[in-house]
Amino acid sequence: MRKFFVKSDQVNNNKIEIIDEDVNHIKNVLRLTAGEKIKICDTSSSKNYICEIEEVSRDVVTCNIIEEVSSEAEGNVILHVYQGLPKSDKMELIIQKGTELGVTEFIPVNFKRSIVKISEKDEKKKIDRWQKIAEVAAKQSGRDIIPNIRNIENIKNVCNNIKGYDIVLVAYELEEENYIKNELLKIKKDNTNYRIAIVIGPEGGIDEEEINDFKLSGAKIVSLGKRILRTETVALQVSSIIMYELENGGN
C-alpha cells in the first residue's frame, strides 16, 4: 500500500488533505482514483492511518480515515550521521540507504581534507534535493518520520554540539585498538532509548588535529576493522551495526 506524509494541520476530524507534489504523484504517476486505499502518516505525531481516497482534484487529494494503525517503523535509537562531504552523488546514496536503515538526521560536514566545496549559493539547492531524497526513501521504507537534513557544518560547530548524545563515535582508519562494538557494549542496556551520533570523514579521511578536537569534545574514536572502506560504505556499515546491537534491545 502506497504511503504518504502529511502535517497535523492537514488532518481534520475524519479527513486528511494531501497537497503539493504528492497530488501530482497520486493523480498522474500512480493514477489513483476515488475509492482506492492508501496509508498516510502524520509526521507531527507519527500516527499512521489507512485511508480511502474520496476525491482527486487539481490541487488536493481528499481522503477519509478508515482506521488508525500501529507502526513499529521507528525504534529506540535516535541516530545522527555527521558525514564528511563526499564527491559526486555519494551523499545521495548515503541519505537514501541511511534513511532505509533508520537514520534520524544527516549533517553534512566540511573537513580539512574534504575535496568537495559547496558555495553558500548552492547549499540550499543541495539541501533541498537531499531532503527530497530522504522523503522518497522514507515513503519507500515505511518510516514514520522523514529524516532531517541539516545545513553544512564545520568541525568547530560539530565539536561544540555533540554534548547531548549518549555516545559519539568517530570512525578513524588509523585507530587499531578500540573497536566500535567495545563502545556499544559499554552503553547497551535493556529497554533503553539511545541518542547516538556517528562522525564519518570524507574520501581524504580525518586530519589528526581534527581527531584530537573530537577527543577533547568527548567523542570515542573507533576502528571498523582491518580494511579501509569508502566513505559511503562506512555510513551504511556503522548504521547497520548500531541498529543490530541496540535497536529494540539488540540481541
Side-chain angles (χ1 to χ4, degrees):
M1 189 178 296
R2 298 287 182 168
K3 186 169 186 175
F4 298 89
F5 292 104
V6 297
K7 297 178 181 178
S8 57
D9 60 0
Q10 294 169 250
V11 182
N12 296 293
N13 297 321
N14 204 43
K15 291 186 183 293
I16 297 178
E17 291 186 339
I18 297 175
I19 58 175
D20 299 330
E21 294 179 5
D22 282 336
V23 175
N24 177 67
H25 190 66
I26 289 171
K27 183 169 60 174
N28 299 320
V29 179
L30 300 177
R31 298 187 181 279
L32 300 178
T33 58
E36 296 192 75
K37 293 181 176 61
I38 59 175
K39 182 181 284 188
I40 299 176
C41 178
D42 179 351
T43 56
S44 304
S45 64
S46 292
K47 290 182 178 180
N48 285 268
Y49 304 95
I50 300 297
C51 299
E52 183 179 272
I53 297 174
E54 179 184 273
E55 181 184 5
V56 179
S57 65
R58 190 182 71 173
D59 300 315
V60 179
V61 175
T62 304
C63 303
N64 293 314
I65 296 174
I66 298 174
E67 63 176 323
E68 182 179 337
V69 293
S70 61
S71 172
E72 296 181 352
E74 303 305 322
N76 58 318
V77 179
I78 294 175
L79 179 59
H80 292 181
V81 172
Y82 288 80
Q83 174 66 53
L85 284 170
K87 295 186 295 184
S88 187
D89 57 358
K90 293 176 183 177
M91 192 69 179
E92 297 182 7
L93 174 67
I94 291 166
I95 290 170
Q96 181 190 61
K97 300 306 179 185
T99 296
E100 293 176 22
L101 290 169
V103 175
T104 314
E105 188 166 273
F106 298 89
I107 306 92
V109 182
N110 263 324
F111 284 83
K112 283 185 178 180
R113 297 179 182 174
S114 293
I115 299 171
V116 173
K117 302 296 180 184
I118 298 175
S119 66
E120 290 185 13
K121 176 184 175 182
D122 294 331
E123 182 174 347
K124 186 181 185 305
K125 187 190 303 181
K126 282 283 188 183
I127 299 296
D128 288 346
R129 174 166 174 75
W130 292 338
Q131 190 66 66
K132 186 62 181 176
I133 289 170
E135 180 180 347
V136 172
K139 289 176 181 176
Q140 181 274 323
S141 56
R143 296 285 301 271
D144 291 340
I145 65 166
I146 301 170
N148 183 46
I149 315 297
R150 293 224 313 252
N151 291 333
I152 298 170
E153 293 277 15
N154 57 46
I155 295 299
K156 181 179 179 180
N157 287 341
V158 172
C159 289
N160 288 337
N161 293 327
I162 60 175
K163 305 295 184 183
Y165 295 99
D166 295 313
I167 192 170
V168 177
L169 303 169
V170 181
Y172 188 44
E173 68 273 16
L174 297 183
E175 175 58 45
E176 297 179 346
E177 298 180 358
N178 191 33
Y179 286 86
I180 182 171
K181 187 167 185 177
N182 299 338
E183 294 297 340
L184 294 179
L185 289 176
K186 291 177 185 178
I187 67 167
K188 186 174 182 179
K189 298 177 182 178
D190 292 334
N191 302 316
T192 297
N193 294 322
Y194 301 95
R195 183 177 172 84
I196 298 174
I198 59 177
V199 180
I200 301 160
E203 287 88 349
I206 304 177
D207 185 81
E208 187 176 351
E209 184 177 337
E210 293 170 329
I211 288 293
N212 289 332
D213 288 340
F214 282 121
K215 288 180 179 178
L216 291 173
S217 299
K220 305 298 182 181
I221 314 302
V222 296
S223 169
L224 301 181
K226 301 182 182 301
R227 292 172 290 279
I228 302 298
L229 305 178
R230 294 177 183 270
T231 184
E232 66 271 27
T233 307
V234 174
L236 306 183
Q237 184 195 38
V238 175
S239 298
S240 299
I241 290 170
I242 290 171
M243 292 304 179
Y244 177 79
E245 286 291 337
L246 301 180
E247 190 170 37
N248 298 325
N251 303 298

